[in-house]
Amino acid sequence: MGIYLVSVGAQEWLDGDEDEGGKGALAAALDEELRRRGLAPYESVPETAAFVRGSGLSFEEKLVPSMAGFTALCQEHLAPRETELLLGWSVLVPLSLDEEIRLPLSSAYDDETVVAGAPEVLALAQRLAAVIGLPVEAIPEACDNLDLTMWFLEGQAKETAESRPGPWGEDLDTAFYVALYLRAAQHSLRRGCPMTYC
């Protein structure tokens, strides 16, 4: 058990059966709100790809470490509104949004759904990565089978921190969440898919 951050394919996104994990009501409500704002509906969701380890076609990571250090990092280096954007969404979409979209639909862990744009989340994650000196090229890019989670939990992160020291290696829990949000936003934009917690 626990909280996972996962990519969502077209069938699940458009399926109206919420008991089976379908997000059709969410997709319809989001499209309606996008149209109300004068934006195009979000219709180009890719199908879920067959699982191939390391392909980077799907995303699944588990939120295991404590978020306390990451929250403190956000509060120190981001404006309150930016911290709320980065930490407050329940659905991430590959669209640029001036502000989050709040929908009166329950999400996995709240009584409303907050939709954020991946470009905005990516920009914030990149800023935090620069602050802690995260060696972005050294951390897993494909996150389709807890690759990032295991990299941090099974020792590779610690080994890398010894050979590439810096602020990032002083608090690996915080570094994990910077990497998680960075890779999630990148995946959403690369694949054109939504991301959600489950």
Side-chain angles (χ1 to χ4, degrees), residues 23-177:
K23 305 197 181 307
L26 166 60
L30 175 60
D31 284 347
E32 182 179 337
E33 180 59 21
L34 289 170
R35 288 189 187 95
R36 191 186 71 75
R37 295 182 181 201
L39 301 171
Y42 174 40
E43 297 175 332
S44 58
V45 181
E47 292 292 343
T48 301
F51 176 73
V52 177
R53 182 180 297 279
S55 68
L57 295 177
S58 59
F59 190 102
E60 179 184 10
E61 295 293 348
K62 187 174 184 180
L63 284 66
V64 178
S66 166
M67 290 191 80
F70 179 64
T71 301
L73 179 72
C74 292
Q75 292 170 342
E76 182 178 355
H77 294 281
L78 301 178
R81 186 75 187 85
E82 293 172 326
T83 297
E84 181 182 345
L85 170 64
L86 186 60
L87 299 180
W89 58 267
S90 45
V91 175
L92 189 66
V93 292
L95 309 172
S96 185
L97 300 173
D98 290 340
E99 60 182 19
E100 310 97 310
I101 295 176
R102 295 182 178 275
L103 300 172
L105 299 169
S106 61
S107 60
Y109 301 97
D110 206 342
D111 57 1
E112 72 174 351
T113 296
V114 179
V115 182
E120 290 74 23
V121 168
L122 177 59
L124 295 174
Q126 287 172 327
R127 281 172 52 192
L128 294 178
V131 166
I132 65 171
L134 185 71
V136 176
E137 70 286 352
I139 64 174
E141 188 169 353
C143 300
D144 47 21
N145 189 37
L146 306 179
D147 300 274
L148 193 62
T149 304
M150 296 292 82
W151 193 81
F152 274 92
L153 293 182
E154 293 189 342
Q156 294 97 322
K158 187 174 181 181
E159 293 172 8
T160 302
E162 290 171 358
S163 63
R164 300 186 62 173
W168 79 277
E170 296 168 11
D171 183 348
L172 292 178
D173 287 356
T174 295
F176 168 76
Y177 285 104

